[in-house]
Amino acid sequence: MAYELIASEIDKNKTRFIERLREAVEIPSVSAEAAYRNEVFRMTDWTQANMEKLGIKCRQIENGIEDRPDGSKLRLPPILFGHLGEDKSKKTLLVYGHLDVQPADIHDGWNTEPFKLIEIDGKLFGRGSSDDKGPVIAWLNAIETMQALNIEIPVNIKFVFEGMEESGSTGLDEILEQHKEEFLADVDWTCISDNYWLGKEKPCLTYGLRGLCYYAVEISAPKQDLHSGVYGGTIYEPMNDLVWILSRLTDLKGNILVDGINELVAPLTEDELKLYDQIEFDVEAYKQDVGVKTLTVDDKKKVLMNRWRYPTLSIHGIEGAFHGPGAKTVIPAKVVGKLSIRIVPNMEPEQTDALVVAFLNKLWKERGSPNKFRAIPFHSGRPWVADFNHPHYQAGARALEKVYGVKPDFTREGGSIPVTLTFQNLTGKSVMLLPIGACDDMAHSQNEKINVFNYIEGTKALAAYLLELAHI
Amino acid sequence: MAYELIASEIDKNKTRFIERLREAVEIPSVSAEAAYRNEVFRMTDWTQANMEKLGIKCRQIENGIEDRPDGSKLRLPPILFGHLGEDKSKKTLLVYGHLDVQPADIHDGWNTEPFKLIEIDGKLFGRGSSDDKGPVIAWLNAIETMQALNIEIPVNIKFVFEGMEESGSTGLDEILEQHKEEFLADVDWTCISDNYWLGKEKPCLTYGLRGLCYYAVEISAPKQDLHSGVYGGTIYEPMNDLVWILSRLTDLKGNILVDGINELVAPLTEDELKLYDQIEFDVEAYKQDVGVKTLTVDDKKKVLMNRWRYPTLSIHGIEGAFHGPGAKTVIPAKVVGKLSIRIVPNMEPEQTDALVVAFLNKLWKERGSPNKFRAIPFHSGRPWVADFNHPHYQAGARALEKVYGVKPDFTREGGSIPVTLTFQNLTGKSVMLLPIGACDDMAHSQNEKINVFNYIEGTKALAAYLLELAHI
């Protein structure tokens, strides 16, 4: 009965909830651009004020100074901590979200003013509407609704809202680490709404993300770039060595040829395989969205597994060689190939780095070039995968089924959200991604939107999830 | 006797000749930069004034307007035509040179102010000292000296001095073509001093240059760049296709694998091979200059032949992929590989283009990728080779032997000076390159210089050459 009351109340307040999102979208809290940095502070204050109206105790954790690439310094937005309920008999949920947005300019191809919320055909266009202001405000809407109806929230809730997510979450990990024994000590579950459904119709819960290992392959020979007319024909050209090496890392279909990599991948379990059977995913629509006629694999399950649970290797580019339009005839003296591997369980970055460097060195020996060669591991991030059979996930699934009338898909994603792993490591408890936006929300792109349906039903889903947490 | 008088008089005027070069170097006639364009006009006027003092009849040929890459328009410097002597009983020599220079900035690593002439240890440092103001003024010095001594110049001399050589000689070919039947009609030989000795000690005459064919290899698939985490593993990545193709164009040592290319190359003649025996060239010094320990070939003759008389293929870079420092994880949607082949007799650009495009298409078929592929020939320039047994070359050789006491080497060069072929085609007569600078003059680089020795002995060499032309 509680859920039905809540759902009906949320529907009644639809217009007001959209107005609340409008206020947030009109604060252009772009973290990447110095000119907008004050707006991130303003967005943080706005959020705190809205939280305090609900009785959430807030504090802003100072995040220090950022050294900008241009040499200037800029104050970092604080991390906003919130705390609702201190009932020792209840368990505690941690909610994460971010208040900053990607840059946006109407001249980049937006059909509407990006920092206005414009409703067209049931879609709310505006920067941050889906990533991540909509989900953050949906939490506040859900709590407000339960309070208005005097329905008890069965858990204590803690909030971590940051203002630098779109700029690498600068400082967040350190601050969370410092508050591990205090603010994070009693957290039982973490819920993150900062990703998207796999499609446009069916909700999902996300239990895995790939990690990343990045590499540079540096080949150099002469002291300086050389005129190809004057020197061509006598020099072992580093660029020739580099394309040779890079061409030997994958086969035509992108299968990784690095010795030992594929052996590290966690075997597919029966349990996991079953999940893929049920997942709703339209391969043809995916091809159309990407703009290709042929994929490396054509079967639904294989497409999803290649995106989520198998490692992939991409060559991103070459530093040091001519890259402009037109023609230039120089022999580059030093070229650096850039590539990365998306890693999955059970690939540890250290193991992966060792295998990749060994393979590159083996190739280099086979090449027999007299040039200088270095295989350099850059940064890396571990993959994340959670137990989708955990009661936390089952509670999430029951909540979504209640709202949408359909069992959610259990999905993974190919990219990374590093804070997910941070929360899992610091709390030692279950972390779940509960997206409310649709796959075509165009986060990070022009014409970002959230559907009114997703925003309002998502608000219901978060409330339903809070109710379900009582039954774990 | 005439030569000895001239040589002695040139030595006496050394200081004055250096002062004349100083005046020229202090005019920063950089053709590439709009801010300096007026200085190219000033340099043209300065040269005309100095020529008219010698009785050379001058006229400036209007060269129209340049469309700059930034969309602005800029007046092109005129071509300076000059004419000394109209004696129908004499033959006519055409002299070419250029009055503009490469950009230079002391902050780029110059040890001295680039637009001042600074003498250190017998070297005259300054932008344009060697490329090409030194040689241009050496012609004027030589003529002035012969006039002062009342020694008859045994030929009529015509001059073509341009102001856009360092920016692609814009408009020059068209103007020369327009004056083919008039100004160029009675030319018997052309002499160009716009290159360098093979080494630092021994003079040379240059009888060949390589041509150039430039290609783009374009591979594309998705509509837009893609996130490698989200899409990696399902897409045929264009970059993987491109490195595969590029790695199949040459072997380790740079030998061209394109079918049919090597069969086009003119066979080595006995006569030509003998030239290489005599040429003074230090392979070890060459390696040191370039900064490598190993060359693709180690024998003196092979090194020179690979630079001069065999085709070579270089990969210059990739457009469309990540090229900055640091790490970026995008899958580029469209990548364009850039490569060029330095062509030699008897490779015609049309033939070469057909073979390269056919080979690239064959490779693409072998690759079997579903992506879009285009092999695009860009511009091309023919190779140039002259008959080094021509009496014109013999006259040049006698002149150099008189000045330096040693027979010059007959050399070729691996790069291109397109105007050489233009003059040969429009006059139908022998064209010769008679360099006066040394191989380490650093034209186009920081700390350009000409040795006082090369400048002064070069002035003598040009006078000696004028005298020798009487004996053809």
Side-chain angles (χ1 to χ4, degrees), chain A residues 251-254 290-296, chain B residues 217-224 226 234-245 331-335 361 363-365 367-375:
Chain A
D251 67 11
L252 171 67
K253 286 177 177 286
V290 176
V292 299
K293 291 196 182 126
T294 317
L295 300 174
T296 54
Chain B
V217 180
E218 183 186 295
I219 301 177
S220 60
K223 283 190 285 202
Q224 57 199 12
L226 297 173
T234 59
I235 306 299
Y236 287 86
E237 300 188 15
M239 192 69 178
N240 288 2
D241 289 338
L242 184 59
V243 295
W244 185 91
I245 290 262
I331 299 173
K334 177 177 164 185
V335 287
N361 283 324
L363 282 180
W364 186 247
K365 204 171 161 192
R367 175 69 171 168
S369 165
N371 288 331
K372 292 189 203 100
F373 175 86
R374 282 204 304 162

Coordinates of all heavy atoms in Angstrom, one line a residue, chain A residues 251-254 290-296, chain B residues 217-224 226 234-245 331-335 361 363-365 367-375:
Chain A
D251 N 43.9 -9.3 -34.2 CA 43.6 -9.7 -35.5 C 42.5 -8.8 -36.1 O 42.1 -7.8 -35.5 CB 43.2 -11.2 -35.5 CG 41.9 -11.5 -34.8 OD1 41.1 -10.5 -34.5 OD2 41.5 -12.7 -34.6
L252 N 42.0 -9.2 -37.3 CA 41.0 -8.4 -38.0 C 39.8 -8.1 -37.1 O 39.3 -6.9 -37.1 CB 40.6 -9.2 -39.3 CG 39.4 -8.5 -40.0 CD1 39.7 -7.2 -40.6 CD2 38.9 -9.5 -41.1
K253 N 39.4 -9.0 -36.4 CA 38.1 -8.8 -35.6 C 38.4 -8.2 -34.2 O 37.5 -8.2 -33.4 CB 37.4 -10.2 -35.4 CG 36.7 -10.6 -36.7 CD 36.1 -12.0 -36.6 CE 35.3 -12.4 -37.8 NZ 34.0 -11.6 -38.0
G254 N 39.7 -7.9 -34.0 CA 40.0 -7.2 -32.7 C 40.3 -8.2 -31.6 O 40.6 -7.8 -30.5
V290 N 25.5 3.3 -34.0 CA 26.9 3.4 -34.2 C 27.2 3.9 -35.7 O 28.2 4.6 -35.9 CB 27.7 2.1 -33.9 CG1 29.1 2.2 -34.2 CG2 27.4 1.7 -32.5
G291 N 26.4 3.4 -36.6 CA 26.6 3.8 -38.0 C 27.4 2.8 -38.8 O 28.2 3.1 -39.7
V292 N 27.4 1.5 -38.4 CA 28.1 0.5 -39.1 C 27.1 -0.6 -39.5 O 26.1 -0.8 -38.9 CB 29.3 -0.2 -38.3 CG1 30.3 0.9 -37.9 CG2 28.8 -0.9 -37.1
K293 N 27.5 -1.3 -40.6 CA 26.6 -2.4 -41.1 C 27.0 -3.8 -40.5 O 26.2 -4.7 -40.5 CB 26.7 -2.5 -42.7 CG 26.1 -1.2 -43.3 CD 25.8 -1.5 -44.8 CE 25.2 -0.2 -45.4 NZ 26.0 0.2 -46.6
T294 N 28.3 -3.9 -40.1 CA 28.8 -5.2 -39.7 C 29.5 -5.0 -38.4 O 30.3 -4.1 -38.2 CB 29.8 -5.8 -40.7 OG1 29.3 -5.6 -42.0 CG2 30.0 -7.2 -40.5
L295 N 29.2 -5.9 -37.4 CA 29.9 -5.9 -36.2 C 30.9 -7.1 -36.2 O 30.8 -8.0 -37.0 CB 29.0 -6.1 -35.0 CG 27.9 -5.0 -34.8 CD1 26.9 -5.3 -33.7 CD2 28.6 -3.6 -34.5
T296 N 31.9 -7.1 -35.3 CA 32.8 -8.2 -35.2 C 32.1 -9.5 -34.8 O 32.6 -10.6 -35.1 CB 34.0 -7.9 -34.2 OG1 33.4 -7.6 -33.0 CG2 34.8 -6.7 -34.7
Chain B
V217 N 45.6 7.4 -47.3 CA 44.9 6.2 -47.2 C 43.8 6.4 -46.1 O 44.1 6.6 -45.0 CB 45.8 5.0 -46.7 CG1 45.0 3.7 -46.6 CG2 47.0 4.9 -47.6
E218 N 42.6 6.5 -46.6 CA 41.5 6.9 -45.7 C 40.6 5.7 -45.4 O 40.1 5.0 -46.3 CB 40.6 8.0 -46.4 CG 39.5 8.5 -45.7 CD 38.6 9.4 -46.5 OE1 39.2 10.5 -47.0 OE2 37.5 9.1 -46.8
I219 N 40.4 5.4 -44.1 CA 39.6 4.3 -43.6 C 38.6 4.9 -42.6 O 39.0 5.6 -41.7 CB 40.5 3.2 -43.0 CG1 41.5 2.7 -44.0 CG2 39.6 2.0 -42.5 CD1 42.4 1.7 -43.5
S220 N 37.3 4.5 -42.8 CA 36.3 5.0 -41.9 C 35.2 4.0 -41.7 O 35.0 3.1 -42.5 CB 35.7 6.3 -42.4 OG 35.1 6.1 -43.7
A221 N 34.5 4.1 -40.6 CA 33.4 3.2 -40.3 C 32.3 3.9 -39.5 O 31.4 4.4 -40.2 CB 34.0 2.0 -39.4
P222 N 32.4 4.1 -38.2 CA 31.2 4.6 -37.5 C 31.0 6.1 -37.9 O 31.8 6.8 -38.5 CB 31.6 4.5 -36.0 CG 33.0 4.2 -36.0 CD 33.5 3.8 -37.3
K223 N 29.8 6.6 -37.5 CA 29.4 7.9 -37.8 C 30.3 8.9 -37.0 O 30.5 10.1 -37.5 CB 28.0 8.1 -37.3 CG 26.9 7.6 -38.2 CD 25.5 8.0 -37.8 CE 25.0 7.3 -36.6 NZ 23.5 7.3 -36.5
Q224 N 30.8 8.6 -35.9 CA 31.5 9.5 -35.0 C 32.5 8.7 -34.2 O 32.4 7.5 -34.0 CB 30.6 10.3 -34.2 CG 29.7 9.5 -33.3 CD 28.4 10.2 -32.8 OE1 28.1 11.3 -33.2 NE2 27.8 9.6 -31.8
L226 N 34.1 7.0 -31.1 CA 33.4 6.2 -30.1 C 34.2 6.0 -28.8 O 35.4 5.9 -28.9 CB 33.0 4.8 -30.7 CG 32.1 4.8 -31.9 CD1 32.0 3.4 -32.5 CD2 30.7 5.4 -31.5
T234 N 33.3 -4.6 -30.4 CA 32.2 -4.9 -31.3 C 32.4 -4.3 -32.7 O 31.7 -4.7 -33.6 CB 30.8 -4.5 -30.7 OG1 30.9 -3.0 -30.5 CG2 30.5 -5.2 -29.4
I235 N 33.3 -3.3 -32.7 CA 33.5 -2.5 -33.9 C 34.8 -2.9 -34.6 O 35.8 -3.2 -34.0 CB 33.6 -1.0 -33.6 CG1 32.5 -0.5 -32.7 CG2 33.8 -0.1 -34.8 CD1 31.1 -0.6 -33.4
Y236 N 34.8 -3.0 -36.0 CA 36.0 -3.1 -36.7 C 36.7 -1.8 -36.7 O 36.2 -0.8 -37.4 CB 35.7 -3.5 -38.2 CG 35.3 -4.9 -38.4 CD1 34.0 -5.3 -38.3 CD2 36.3 -5.9 -38.7 CE1 33.6 -6.7 -38.5 CE2 35.9 -7.3 -38.9 CZ 34.5 -7.6 -38.8 OH 34.2 -8.9 -39.0
E237 N 37.7 -1.6 -35.9 CA 38.3 -0.3 -35.6 C 39.1 0.1 -36.8 O 40.1 -0.5 -37.2 CB 39.1 -0.3 -34.3 CG 38.2 -0.6 -33.1 CD 38.8 -0.4 -31.8 OE1 39.9 0.2 -31.7 OE2 38.3 -1.0 -30.8
P238 N 38.8 1.3 -37.4 CA 39.6 1.8 -38.6 C 41.1 1.9 -38.4 O 41.9 1.6 -39.3 CB 38.9 3.1 -38.9 CG 37.5 3.0 -38.4 CD 37.6 2.2 -37.2
M239 N 41.4 2.3 -37.1 CA 42.9 2.4 -36.8 C 43.6 1.1 -37.0 O 44.8 1.0 -37.4 CB 43.0 3.0 -35.4 CG 44.3 3.5 -35.0 SD 44.9 5.0 -35.9 CE 46.5 5.2 -35.1
N240 N 43.0 0.0 -36.6 CA 43.6 -1.3 -36.7 C 43.8 -1.7 -38.1 O 44.9 -2.2 -38.5 CB 42.7 -2.4 -36.0 CG 42.7 -2.3 -34.5 OD1 43.3 -1.4 -34.0 ND2 42.0 -3.2 -33.9
D241 N 42.8 -1.4 -39.0 CA 43.0 -1.6 -40.4 C 44.1 -0.8 -41.0 O 44.9 -1.3 -41.8 CB 41.7 -1.2 -41.2 CG 40.5 -2.2 -40.9 OD1 40.8 -3.3 -40.5 OD2 39.4 -1.7 -41.1
L242 N 44.2 0.5 -40.5 CA 45.2 1.4 -41.1 C 46.6 0.9 -40.8 O 47.5 0.9 -41.6 CB 45.0 2.8 -40.6 CG 45.9 3.9 -41.2 CD1 45.8 3.9 -42.8 CD2 45.6 5.2 -40.7
V243 N 46.9 0.6 -39.5 CA 48.3 0.2 -39.2 C 48.6 -1.1 -39.9 O 49.8 -1.3 -40.3 CB 48.5 0.1 -37.7 CG1 48.4 1.4 -37.0 CG2 47.6 -1.0 -37.0
W244 N 47.6 -2.0 -40.1 CA 47.9 -3.2 -40.9 C 48.3 -2.9 -42.3 O 49.3 -3.4 -42.8 CB 46.6 -4.1 -40.9 CG 46.7 -5.4 -41.5 CD1 47.1 -6.6 -40.9 CD2 46.5 -5.8 -42.9 NE1 47.1 -7.6 -41.8 CE2 46.8 -7.1 -43.0 CE3 46.2 -5.0 -44.0 CZ2 46.7 -7.8 -44.2 CZ3 46.1 -5.7 -45.2 CH2 46.3 -7.1 -45.3
I245 N 47.6 -2.0 -42.9 CA 47.9 -1.6 -44.3 C 49.3 -1.0 -44.4 O 50.1 -1.3 -45.2 CB 46.9 -0.6 -44.9 CG1 45.5 -1.3 -45.1 CG2 47.4 0.1 -46.1 CD1 45.3 -1.7 -46.5
I331 N 37.9 5.7 -29.8 CA 38.1 4.9 -31.0 C 37.9 5.9 -32.2 O 36.7 6.3 -32.4 CB 37.1 3.7 -31.2 CG1 37.2 2.7 -30.0 CG2 37.3 3.0 -32.5 CD1 36.1 1.7 -30.0
P332 N 38.9 6.2 -32.9 CA 38.7 7.2 -34.0 C 37.8 6.6 -35.1 O 38.0 5.5 -35.5 CB 40.1 7.6 -34.5 CG 41.0 6.8 -33.7 CD 40.3 5.8 -32.8
A333 N 36.9 7.4 -35.6 CA 35.9 6.9 -36.6 C 36.5 7.0 -38.0 O 36.1 6.1 -38.8 CB 34.6 7.8 -36.6
K334 N 37.4 7.9 -38.2 CA 37.9 8.1 -39.6 C 39.4 8.4 -39.5 O 39.7 9.4 -38.8 CB 37.2 9.2 -40.3 CG 37.7 9.5 -41.7 CD 36.9 10.5 -42.4 CE 37.5 11.2 -43.6 NZ 36.8 12.3 -44.1
V335 N 40.2 7.6 -40.0 CA 41.7 7.9 -39.9 C 42.3 7.9 -41.3 O 41.8 7.2 -42.2 CB 42.4 6.8 -39.1 CG1 42.1 7.0 -37.6 CG2 42.1 5.4 -39.5
N361 N 44.7 -1.1 -52.9 CA 43.4 -1.8 -53.1 C 43.5 -3.3 -52.9 O 42.6 -4.0 -52.4 CB 42.7 -1.4 -54.4 CG 42.1 0.0 -54.4 OD1 41.6 0.4 -53.4 ND2 42.3 0.7 -55.5
L363 N 45.8 -4.9 -51.1 CA 45.9 -5.1 -49.7 C 44.6 -5.1 -48.9 O 44.3 -5.9 -48.1 CB 46.9 -4.1 -49.0 CG 48.4 -4.2 -49.2 CD1 49.1 -3.1 -48.5 CD2 48.9 -5.6 -48.7
W364 N 43.8 -4.1 -49.3 CA 42.5 -3.9 -48.7 C 41.6 -5.1 -48.9 O 40.9 -5.5 -47.9 CB 41.8 -2.6 -49.2 CG 40.6 -2.3 -48.4 CD1 39.3 -2.3 -48.9 CD2 40.4 -2.0 -47.0 NE1 38.4 -2.0 -47.9 CE2 39.1 -1.8 -46.7 CE3 41.4 -1.9 -46.0 CZ2 38.6 -1.5 -45.5 CZ3 40.9 -1.6 -44.7 CH2 39.5 -1.4 -44.5
K365 N 41.6 -5.6 -50.1 CA 40.8 -6.8 -50.4 C 41.3 -8.0 -49.5 O 40.5 -8.7 -48.9 CB 41.0 -7.1 -51.9 CG 39.8 -8.0 -52.4 CD 39.9 -8.1 -53.9 CE 39.0 -9.3 -54.4 NZ 39.3 -9.6 -55.8
R367 N 42.7 -7.8 -46.7 CA 42.4 -7.5 -45.3 C 41.0 -8.0 -45.0 O 40.7 -8.5 -43.9 CB 42.5 -6.0 -45.0 CG 42.0 -5.5 -43.6 CD 42.9 -5.9 -42.5 NE 42.6 -5.3 -41.2 CZ 43.1 -5.7 -40.1 NH1 43.9 -6.7 -40.0 NH2 42.7 -5.1 -39.0
G368 N 40.1 -7.8 -45.9 CA 38.7 -8.3 -45.7 C 37.9 -7.5 -44.6 O 37.0 -8.1 -44.0
S369 N 38.2 -6.3 -44.4 CA 37.5 -5.5 -43.4 C 36.2 -4.9 -44.1 O 36.2 -4.5 -45.2 CB 38.4 -4.3 -42.9 OG 37.6 -3.4 -42.2
P370 N 35.1 -4.8 -43.3 CA 33.9 -4.2 -43.8 C 33.9 -2.7 -43.8 O 33.0 -2.0 -44.2 CB 32.8 -4.7 -42.8 CG 33.5 -4.8 -41.6 CD 34.9 -5.2 -41.9
N371 N 35.0 -2.0 -43.4 CA 35.0 -0.6 -43.3 C 35.2 0.1 -44.7 O 35.4 -0.6 -45.7 CB 36.2 -0.1 -42.4 CG 35.9 -0.4 -40.9 OD1 34.7 -0.4 -40.5 ND2 36.9 -0.7 -40.1
K372 N 35.0 1.4 -44.7 CA 35.1 2.1 -46.0 C 36.6 2.5 -46.2 O 37.3 2.9 -45.3 CB 34.3 3.4 -45.9 CG 32.8 3.1 -45.9 CD 32.0 4.4 -46.1 CE 30.6 4.3 -45.5 NZ 30.5 4.9 -44.2
F373 N 37.0 2.4 -47.5 CA 38.5 2.5 -47.8 C 38.6 3.4 -49.0 O 37.9 3.2 -50.0 CB 39.1 1.1 -48.0 CG 40.5 1.2 -48.5 CD1 41.5 1.2 -47.6 CD2 40.8 1.2 -49.8 CE1 42.9 1.3 -48.0 CE2 42.1 1.2 -50.3 CZ 43.2 1.2 -49.3
R374 N 39.5 4.3 -49.0 CA 39.9 5.1 -50.2 C 41.4 5.3 -50.2 O 42.0 5.7 -49.2 CB 39.2 6.5 -50.2 CG 37.8 6.4 -50.6 CD 37.4 7.8 -51.2 NE 37.6 8.8 -50.2 CZ 37.7 10.1 -50.6 NH1 37.5 10.5 -51.8 NH2 37.9 11.1 -49.6
A375 N 42.0 5.0 -51.4 CA 43.4 5.3 -51.6 C 43.5 6.5 -52.5 O 42.9 6.5 -53.6 CB 44.2 4.2 -52.2

